[in-house]
Amino acid sequence: MQQITMGEAVNQALREEMRRDEQVFVAGEGIGVGIHSNPKFPTFGLLEEFGTRRVKDTPVSEAAIAGLAVGASVMGLRPVVEIMFNPFFTIAADQIVNHAAKLRYLSGGKSKFPLVVRMKSGSGIGAGCQHSHNLEAWLAHCPGLKVVMPGTPADAKGLLKSAIRDDNPVIFIEDMILYFVPGPVPEEDYSIPIGVADVKKPGGDVTLVTWSKMLGAAFKAAAKLEQEGISVEIVDLRTLVPLDEETILKSVTKTGRLVVLHEATRTGGFGGEIAAVVAEKAFAQLKAPIKRIAAPDIPVPYSKPLEEFYLPNEKMIIESIRAIMQSKEQ
Amino acid sequence: MQQITMGEAVNQALREEMRRDEQVFVAGEGIGVGIHSNPKFPTFGLLEEFGTRRVKDTPVSEAAIAGLAVGASVMGLRPVVEIMFNPFFTIAADQIVNHAAKLRYLSGGKSKFPLVVRMKSGSGIGAGCQHSHNLEAWLAHCPGLKVVMPGTPADAKGLLKSAIRDDNPVIFIEDMILYFVPGPVPEEDYSIPIGVADVKKPGGDVTLVTWSKMLGAAFKAAAKLEQEGISVEIVDLRTLVPLDEETILKSVTKTGRLVVLHEATRTGGFGGEIAAVVAEKAFAQLKAPIKRIAAPDIPVPYSKPLEEFYLPNEKMIIESIRAIMQSKEQ
Amino acid sequence: MENPNQVVLLETMLLIRRFEEKLEALSKEPGKLHGMMIVCTGQEAVAAGVSAALEPQDVIISNHRSHGHLIAKGAEINLLMAEIYGKRTGYNKGKSGTLHIAVPEVNALCTTTVVGGGIPIAVGTAFAAQYENKDFVTVCYFGNGAADEGSFHEALNLAALWNLPVIFVCENNVYSGAQRQEEHTRVKDLADRAAAYGMASQIVDGNDVQRVYEATAEAREKCLAGDGPILLEFKTYRWGGHSTTDHQVYQPKEEIEQWKQRCPIEKLKKELLGAGVLTEATWQQLNEGVMKQVEQSVQFAEESPWPDVTEALEDIFA
Amino acid sequence: MENPNQVVLLETMLLIRRFEEKLEALSKEPGKLHGMMIVCTGQEAVAAGVSAALEPQDVIISNHRSHGHLIAKGAEINLLMAEIYGKRTGYNKGKSGTLHIAVPEVNALCTTTVVGGGIPIAVGTAFAAQYENKDFVTVCYFGNGAADEGSFHEALNLAALWNLPVIFVCENNVYSGAQRQEEHTRVKDLADRAAAYGMASQIVDGNDVQRVYEATAEAREKCLAGDGPILLEFKTYRWGGHSTTDHQVYQPKEEIEQWKQRCPIEKLKKELLGAGVLTEATWQQLNEGVMKQVEQSVQFAEESPWPDVTEALEDIFA
Ligand SMILES: Cc1ncc(C[n+]2csc(CCOP(=O)(O)OP(=O)(O)O)c2C)c(N)n1
Ligand SMILES: Cc1ncc(C[n+]2csc(CCOP(=O)(O)OP(=O)(O)O)c2C)c(N)n1
Ligand SMILES: [Mg+2]
Ligand SMILES: [Mg+2]
């Protein structure tokens, strides 16, 4: 199997869908001619292959980019637009939240808006809090949007294909650090359904629900804990909306313990949603308090040691899991 | 004690703070001369009392309104700006999220931004989903902002005063239906601290955490349940950030049961945060699953019966509480 | 393009007028309508004139003051009225109500009550025409107030840059909520803003339906020839308040009266009477026919069933 | 206003140049700096000329390409460099880094890397001057790319409407990321956009520090006299890529060379040599002095302590 990074996997998905379907086009800032000419970037080489008709460089105008997607999609095109960094979503937010997400409902189901908004997210790039600010919880709290946030190259490719083929607005959030991390990706055409979580590692003692970049730390922590005799089941959410409650509940029913791990700040993060679902629907199975591991409630700081401090790490996961393994069963 | 509505209470708070402190000014669309000339609207009569220097009507430009607040506040003024309806926050979001909330941190604590953003929210007004969309969970998931959402006229007045006197950006969300519901408000000058929840009704069997308009339904349901011998403790959050975990945990420790009730849609709503805090920190005290009662995951529909269906109601509260009273203790 | 049938133009304006008058009346009857109503009384010539220059495949993007736009584009008033009542038989099954009615049947694809929110969307629909090399234009309606939103700026710049077939129709009715134009911007003519994007523009008397038609027809031809986009500013006036709950304390009575003297319907009626195209009798007929249609739409709406509450959960995802 | 000391202007430009060159060099040494660097090499005359016309109480709002703006306004390069290194001794204790350094000490109050994000904020600081009737102006720096953001539009309209004392400085360096100006808008001169708000504007050679100074000084006087705001477009050029990670595939080598011929520093140097105000020897001295300052700033930054990780939790609320 090919070993490629998430950046390359996204690139493959875009190319293959653009080849398959003439209605698919991409637009955004630096999508065609950008400042980076790096094959690990998702839009590398698209302009060369598909030309200026289908690869649209736009001005720095996030509201217009999002509006372009809304209008083009209602006409039957399949726009895949990029909002460069997650915090710039704020500028496109009216188009995405009040229009992309609501206009189908407002039409009484007559219209559809098959669009994808790709956004880069994540800390660790030394750009500070106006570039790094994980806002997936916002998007997940907006009926009418699907929200996808892959953690591996293979998932990214398969899920982006589904997103492009989906008849609804899909928000597709890519962690920038993962652009450079390789992983196995099938050569053949495949897609992964939106709304299905993936048990990335089975285990019996505790369920660790996570997504996107934190998957890496989850794996490392689980490996260490295994040596202590604690068996961690890693559930990679992959899709936040629609949420795969079934997979989560099944796992917690088995393990009786839940830890939720995400990079976004703690208060109001999507971890609360997972905790609430489990505290309501699998309460009787719970043997220990539900733990959330998340960034502290601060903007992403710039200084290297501070930025590292911001990101939840392996050690915190290990300690949290040890703690709930010790907490008395109720 | 005077009986006034929340609209009138907000109006009193604005007037009194503007009289007290020359640095306070108000700005927004229709803040001075508006289409409504109704004493139950928060900005009624401000222009007459304070003149055009301190009561600034703006163009329909939400980003500029929010930027005005950011810039004026860093100079030491105390802007109280209005974003007419909660969904229009999306247009101001970059200024509020990437600037108001982050610039103090980015300055290393050197600058401060004492501003208030007032927003109307809530369903029930027959305006549909582009006017009614409760997004308090978004704001609560943005470090650097305080988020206040009062449920009674007295709280609104006292909390708005604190918000205006606070040296940080405060988001103050007012339910439009509550503008017209009267309640007792002290005549003398008083303020209510931000970050302190209020036990609006003591009770022993179940903790009902709620805020804003849903307080009314909570009271009604609690009264009915009292007749069945179920004693409900109503915790009115009033402030979402900073969250008064102590009051919540104290109540749940006493009752052993938690129901969270909010008007915003369920998935990703702030109810998840409350559930997660309790499932982590008062797990041992919990006797039953945590229930969330919230709007379904849809935009607010227009049609009267549909809009009524959208809003969580008394009946749902009663049934949820009955259900968790019956659920076996663990 | 051939001149449109003048009597049909008159009838369209009259239908809009009577529809809006009815809504104003209904909004005063307690318990009839849900929420406030926003009507376009006095501005009928813009919608009628613009749509007279359009073909069925042309797309319109509308705003909160949409009823006229929709009726002129061919929406059926029964289904509009039912939507405004919130009934299941309405165009959007009651989910939309008065503020954001979409009528895909006549290519009125997106109506938004977010001021300025439709302008970037029009860029998208126009882009689709260019992308697929199809012969249709997009008309994007918005008010003078909307021209101050950032979305206006981003959208017009992008439309100009890409040469998109879109006609931006700024319906300047003097007010934005309670603000007069001079209170929300220093520029006198919003058409002048087109120059900031290298875009063509034109200022047109928005109460003269024939001029509105001509300007739109010309703009449409340009767009189809690849010489779009264009910004048309139609000067007109909102006879009523912003909405039916408006107390109108800020709107001078004399100003209203002056503009009523320039009623677009009266103007065309007089011309047609003068030209012998219309007689007092045919005018009476026209008016009665329209009134009847409006009454029937109310009856249709009132007799229509409410949506079942569980329908609220439908139509969210395709 | 008296002409500024030309040698001081030259020194300011030189200090900015050497500072940015140093950052470019450091960014190529692995492990030195955190993240990419955005520098203003070639554009020094704008910052130097603007600030020469300002008083300490004047406020500047800056953008991602801020180092020059901050140095010219009086920021100390030791504290800037330390901030860029992410050290505790930096202006913002390492929380900000290169992209959003605030230096309240010199009234550089808000620097933002959100393109266009600072423009509405400048309206607020200028409003404060008007509200309190104080004698200061706000200078708001942004690029040609930023002029396409909706925030530009909303802010300029409001500033013009309220007559605020703010100088909008559009630093047009031809590029917005990898896009040339003609690829992001159809208008040739962004100054023309001021007319859309009834605002004054001027186009100025941004590589001529004296012209930059004069235009700003004049604009400042107008603002203080209550005749603001104004939009100044300074035509200049970005010698390097957008950032130090830019592959610059899109930027023609000949174009860079042409603009290097118009180096703002060389231009002034030649003039001063010609006028006998400067000699080759004093120039050498100047240059060495500046180089030493820059080297010292690096030393200061490198020797400075890292913030303690728990400091990350501070400075969020006042
Ligand atoms: C983004 C946004 N801000 C504010 C409002 C409230 N609002 C509704 S209509 C209106 C005035 C719009 O004026 P204009 O664009 O001239 O249209 P008109 O009402 O005159 O037809 C305002 C401010 C809104 N709906 N959306
Ligand atoms: C809102 C937003 N969109 C996109 C970006 C990414 N970005 C950073 S700088 C830049 C180009 C800005 O060009 P210009 O305003 O001309 O300034 P210059 O870099 O030329 O100094 C872009 C697109 C951003 N930082 N903020
Ligand atoms: Mg108007
Ligand atoms: Mg530039």
Side-chain angles (χ1 to χ4, degrees), chain D residues 41-42 174-175 180 207 237-241 247-263:
Chain D
T41 316
V174 179
Y175 288 94
R180 302 177 60 78
N207 280 19
Y237 189 78
R238 193 190 77 191
W239 286 14
H247 296 101
Q248 258 178 297
V249 289
Y250 57 87
Q251 202 172 355
K253 291 243 167 12
E254 314 75 59
E255 186 185 66
I256 301 175
E257 279 318 309
Q258 275 166 20
W259 278 90
K260 282 193 175 173
Q261 298 308 314
R262 296 180 50 195
C263 171

Side-chain angles (χ1 to χ4, degrees), chain C residues 15-298:
Chain C
L15 181 59
I16 297 170
R17 171 73 54 90
R18 298 292 172 248
F19 188 85
E20 299 291 58
E21 286 172 345
K22 188 74 205 176
L23 281 180
E24 286 191 81
L26 285 168
S27 73
K28 274 156 207 149
E29 291 182 46
K32 284 268 179 188
L33 299 175
H34 185 38
M36 45 132 217
M37 292 294 129
I38 293 186
V39 299
C40 70
T41 317
Q43 307 178 204
E44 299 85 355
V46 175
V50 166
S51 267
L54 300 183
E55 296 292 328
Q57 74 269 24
D58 293 327
V59 168
I60 68 166
I61 306 293
S62 179
N63 66 353
H64 56 282
R65 205 174 298 283
S66 70
H67 306 153
H69 310 152
L70 300 173
I71 292 172
K73 191 70 170 56
E76 292 178 35
I77 64 166
N78 280 7
L79 309 189
L80 283 182
M81 190 60 90
E83 184 59 36
I84 294 167
Y85 266 78
K87 295 300 184 74
R88 178 191 274 155
T89 52
Y91 268 119
N92 310 135
K93 307 182 192 164
K95 295 209 161 72
S96 170
T98 169
L99 290 175
H100 5 53
I101 308 176
V103 187
E105 293 84 343
V106 300
N107 281 316
L109 290 178
C110 300
T111 301
T112 172
T113 185
V114 177
V115 168
I119 315 180
I121 298 176
V123 171
T125 55
F127 173 78
Q130 188 183 66
Y131 188 86
E132 304 209 89
N133 201 15
K134 287 195 181 152
D135 270 353
F136 70 87
V137 301
T138 294
V139 164
C140 179
Y141 290 102
F142 55 88
N144 47 304
D148 295 342
E149 286 278 10
S151 54
F152 167 93
H153 180 73
E154 296 191 12
L156 267 72
N157 184 56
L158 187 56
L161 183 70
W162 289 355
N163 230 33
L164 298 177
V166 49
I167 306 171
F168 295 106
V169 170
C170 179
E171 207 168 348
N172 189 340
N173 62 3
V174 180
Y175 287 94
S176 164
Q179 260 186 331
R180 300 177 61 79
Q181 191 191 327
E182 60 268 29
E183 294 166 334
H184 71 77
T185 183
R186 268 190 160 191
V187 287
K188 213 183 120 278
D189 297 313
L190 292 163
D192 290 352
R193 292 198 170 156
Y197 316 108
M199 191 188 290
S201 70
Q202 201 184 334
I203 299 169
V204 181
D205 177 354
N207 280 19
D208 183 337
V209 69
Q210 178 64 21
R211 298 301 329 284
V212 171
Y213 160 76
E214 286 164 7
T216 310
E218 200 184 307
R220 184 174 189 274
E221 267 173 37
K222 273 195 187 156
C223 279
L224 291 184
D227 297 332
I230 186 167
L231 171 60
L232 301 180
E233 180 181 6
F234 294 118
K235 306 276 192 186
T236 181
Y237 190 79
R238 193 190 79 190
W239 285 13
H242 168 70
S243 72
T244 50
T245 60
D246 190 334
H247 295 101
Q248 258 177 298
V249 287
Y250 56 86
Q251 202 173 352
K253 292 244 167 9
E254 314 74 61
E255 186 185 68
I256 302 174
E257 279 318 308
Q258 274 166 20
W259 277 91
K260 284 192 175 174
Q261 298 309 315
R262 296 180 50 196
C263 171
I265 297 175
E266 281 302 316
K267 181 176 160 38
L268 182 59
K269 178 186 156 195
K270 247 186 236 153
E271 283 170 17
L272 297 187
L273 285 173
V277 179
L278 197 73
T279 64
E280 272 297 341
T282 48
W283 163 256
Q284 286 300 342
Q285 260 179 336
L286 255 189
N287 194 25
E288 277 161 28
V290 162
M291 301 263 273
K292 205 168 136 194
Q293 281 182 59
V294 171
E295 288 307 326
Q296 277 170 350
S297 76
V298 173

